[in-house]
Amino acid sequence: KAGVTQTPRYLIKTRGQQVTLSCSPISGHRSVSWYQQTPGQGLQFLFEYFSETQRNKGNFPGRFSGRQFSNSRSEMNVSTLELGDSALYLCASNEDRYNEQFFGPGTRLTVL
Amino acid sequence: QQQVKQSPQSLIVQKGGISIINCAYENTAFDYFPWYQQFPGKGPALLIAIRPDVSEKKEGRFTISFNKSAKQFSLHIMDSQPGDSATYFCAAVSRSTLGRLYFGRGTQLTVWP
């Protein structure tokens, strides 16, 4: 099976802009989670979607949002970008039956 | 606050030596403890995982030791190799928040040849 894919891999934006990141889970996986990774805060959970419904949410401001489509693909959106949003955004998928989460390579977002 | 505490932050080991990374948690609802390995430019990859009903799990050179009463678990890498040089994260999952990993802050392991 193909692994988790994320697009784009790299992104440069300026403050105040918005951005949309995409994640395609492993075929058959219905759960998709998003994480933010920074040197200062480590890996922080953003939210998790299962069958198009947000099931869990981390402690991020409302500027961070996401959605999941009927084919399990997921997008996350960050509006009004701030310098502190510069990070590696990781997507992970799992079957939900087991707890194994498989991560994609991430999208490196730089906010100037 | 950090729900999973990981130490050390960095570790340097000679080739052939044993690398040991420790993690501790407080939430007794956690019932699944995976370890992830991350190389630069890559996403974390699942290395090995354990549930609290066993005290040890071994896969090749990697062993997880789990102490339920102390709420601690550790990763042992035997015969460490330069190719093991990476960042290692311990994590925990609660059955009530399935799909959410609580990560430790990571340990950067360097294995000298």
Side-chain angles (χ1 to χ4, degrees):
Chain A
K1 284 185 181 177
V4 177
T5 57
Q6 292 186 245
T7 57
R9 291 293 312 279
Y10 302 92
L11 209 47
I12 299 175
K13 293 285 187 179
T14 56
R15 277 182 300 173
Q17 287 187 308
Q18 76 164 22
V19 67
T20 299
L21 312 181
S22 181
C23 171
S24 292
I26 292 171
S27 177
H29 287 192
R30 293 191 294 165
S31 168
V32 174
S33 301
W34 289 88
Y35 294 83
Q36 181 196 64
Q37 185 174 26
T38 59
Q41 298 298 317
L43 282 151
Q44 302 277 308
F45 173 79
L46 281 153
F47 28 66
E48 184 235 358
Y49 286 86
F50 178 78
S51 292
E52 301 179 65
T53 302
Q54 187 180 86
R55 191 163 62 171
N56 290 301
K57 189 177 189 306
N59 298 324
F60 278 80
R63 300 186 297 107
F64 292 81
S65 63
R67 58 177 176 169
Q68 186 180 34
F69 301 95
S70 58
N71 61 358
S72 293
R73 190 177 70 85
S74 177
E75 289 181 347
M76 68 162 280
N77 184 277
V78 188
S79 63
T80 320
L81 284 166
E82 300 177 0
L83 295 179
D85 297 333
S86 293
L88 181 67
Y89 289 89
L90 292 158
C91 164
S93 75
N94 71 10
E95 291 181 88
D96 197 50
R97 182 177 177 183
Y98 305 102
N99 291 333
E100 289 187 43
Q101 291 204 19
F102 297 86
F103 283 83
T107 294
R108 172 73 63 185
L109 172 65
T110 301
V111 182
L112 303 175
Chain B
Q1 77 272 23
Q2 197 75 20
Q3 296 222 21
V4 179
K5 292 183 168 60
Q6 182 173 348
S7 64
Q9 191 173 355
S10 63
L11 183 61
I12 300 174
V13 172
Q14 203 161 15
K15 179 183 174 182
I18 302 173
S19 304
I20 302 174
I21 303 171
N22 301 300
C23 288
Y25 65 97
E26 287 298 325
N27 188 347
T28 54
F30 288 148
D31 65 350
Y32 178 73
F33 301 88
W35 284 87
Y36 283 84
Q37 179 189 55
Q38 186 178 29
F39 292 103
K42 305 281 189 185
L46 179 65
L47 194 60
I48 186 172
I50 196 168
R51 294 192 183 276
D53 52 348
V54 297
S55 60
E56 187 175 282
K57 183 174 181 181
K58 184 176 180 179
E59 288 185 3
R61 296 184 294 109
F62 301 92
T63 300
I64 299 179
S65 296
F66 190 86
N67 186 329
K68 189 175 180 178
S69 60
K71 289 185 279 192
Q72 294 174 349
F73 58 111
S74 60
L75 175 70
H76 295 234
I77 305 174
M78 312 299 287
D79 187 25
S80 298
Q81 298 296 312
D84 296 331
S85 297
T87 301
Y88 292 81
F89 295 93
C90 60
V93 179
S94 163
R95 68 182 74 84
S96 63
T97 55
L98 199 65
R100 175 175 184 167
L101 286 160
Y102 292 85
F103 281 98
R105 294 300 295 269
T107 296
Q108 189 165 350
L109 171 66
T110 303
V111 181
W112 288 98

